[in-house]
Amino acid sequence: MTDTFVSNPSFFKLDATLKKLRNYWQKTFDAQQKDITVDQWLLIENLYKHKKTTHNELARNTSKDITTISRIIELLVKKGLVIREVDSLDRRKVYLQLTPAGVEKYKDVKALVYEMRKVGWKHLTEADYIELTRILDTIYNNIP
């Protein structure tokens, strides 16, 4: 058996695809005057789903490092989309949650995000999605 997976430039293709997707999303956000970045959207979406979470949980849920999370959260706080709430029992623990304006931002952008996702999946089947997800999960889980 040849080591096609070693010599094949699949990781370049994956990286290039992700960059193209991020650029497409950001250009669309900008054209629609949504006033957020792709990374800000990912955190807003995650906070909407989890309602109240910590920096560490948000980092784990989004596969981002704490420094990046902190930087993005600071911007979202300044925009009035996120609030920090200190735990009453453990002052070191800070919870993050969307403000009413943050919930409105989520609702405003969600439909656009769904439409952008459809663009990437055009001409692909549910089986394609399942297979791609399986492959990506396997690669992700192989990495220490």
Side-chain angles (χ1 to χ4, degrees), residues 7 36 39 49 52 58-59 68-69 107 113 119 124 127 129 144:
S7 60
I36 60 169
D39 285 333
K49 289 177 182 175
K52 191 173 185 179
L58 195 54
T68 301
I69 294 293
K107 290 177 179 178
V113 166
V119 168
L124 296 172
Y129 173 78

Side-chain angles (χ1 to χ4, degrees), residues 34-97:
K34 296 303 179 187
D35 190 35
I36 60 169
T37 66
V38 174
D39 285 333
Q40 288 172 359
W41 165 254
L42 293 173
L43 269 57
I44 289 170
E45 183 179 44
N46 194 276
L47 286 168
Y48 184 84
K49 289 177 182 175
H50 293 97
K51 304 300 179 216
K52 191 173 185 179
T53 190
T54 64
H55 283 79
N56 285 336
E57 291 166 342
L58 195 54
R60 193 171 34 258
N61 291 338
T62 60
S63 297
K64 295 195 176 299
D65 61 80
I66 291 292
T67 304
T68 301
I69 294 293
S70 296
R71 181 181 49 80
I72 297 169
I73 288 297
E74 185 59 33
L75 293 170
L76 293 173
V77 167
K78 286 179 181 176
K79 288 182 176 187
L81 302 176
V82 171
I83 58 169
R84 294 182 185 100
E85 182 182 310
V86 177
D87 187 293
S88 60
L89 300 175
D90 183 353
R91 308 282 301 158
R92 296 170 296 172
K93 194 174 216 177
V94 176
Y95 291 102
L96 305 166
Q97 62 187 66

